[in-house]
Amino acid sequence: MPLEVFFYRTESGSEPVREWLKGLDRVDRQHIGADIKTVQFGWPVGMPVVRKLEQGLWEVRCRLDRRIARILFTVQGEQMILLHGFIKKTQKTPQADLQLARKRRATLEN
């Protein structure tokens, strides 16, 4: 069974990952979408597409034309919930991005 993919939604109703994706060009969105689809239909998936960051938190690793994107997500049952997306600029995942994904995951658990 493939996972159902959902965008994290804030209390105000916005979907930060969807909005971030809309700000990217079409080719980048297609690459990211293909990588998410690989996870959706092949879960569990390992490197190089997915890397586990910690218990309950993974990243989809997307290689774009001249940069690297990451989509942080969690899995709850048969649902893949996209928590945060960003363009990676350093070797390590920035703590601020990890903290934001953790906070969003915690709101799902409440």
Side-chain angles (χ1 to χ4, degrees):
M1 282 297 285
L3 295 174
E4 286 186 86
V5 177
F6 292 94
F7 290 96
Y8 169 81
R9 183 174 292 188
T10 64
E11 286 184 18
S12 65
S14 69
E15 295 173 327
V17 177
R18 185 187 305 267
E19 293 165 12
W20 172 75
L21 285 169
K22 286 181 179 179
L24 300 175
D25 66 42
R26 185 180 57 82
V27 174
D28 288 348
R29 284 194 310 269
Q30 288 175 335
H31 284 291
I32 292 169
D35 288 338
I36 291 170
K37 189 174 179 179
T38 298
V39 177
Q40 178 184 11
F41 287 93
W43 185 254
V45 179
M47 292 287 282
V49 179
V50 173
R51 182 171 72 103
K52 185 173 186 172
L53 299 173
E54 60 188 49
Q55 182 68 36
L57 190 62
W58 293 267
E59 67 178 1
V60 179
R61 302 161 48 91
C62 305
R63 293 191 74 79
L64 306 177
D65 187 29
R66 291 189 175 97
R67 50 198 181 155
I68 298 171
R70 296 290 188 256
I71 296 86
L72 307 184
F73 70 96
T74 191
V75 174
Q76 293 183 344
E78 298 297 318
Q79 298 179 342
M80 174 184 187
I81 303 159
L82 308 179
L83 300 170
H84 181 55
F86 62 99
I87 299 297
K88 193 168 177 191
K89 297 180 177 147
T90 61
Q91 285 237 297
K92 289 188 77 168
T93 302
Q95 282 301 310
D97 292 305
L98 277 174
Q99 286 300 107
L100 181 58
R102 287 177 185 135
K103 179 180 171 188
R104 289 176 178 170
R105 185 183 69 207
T107 64
L108 293 173
E109 295 169 357
N110 291 334

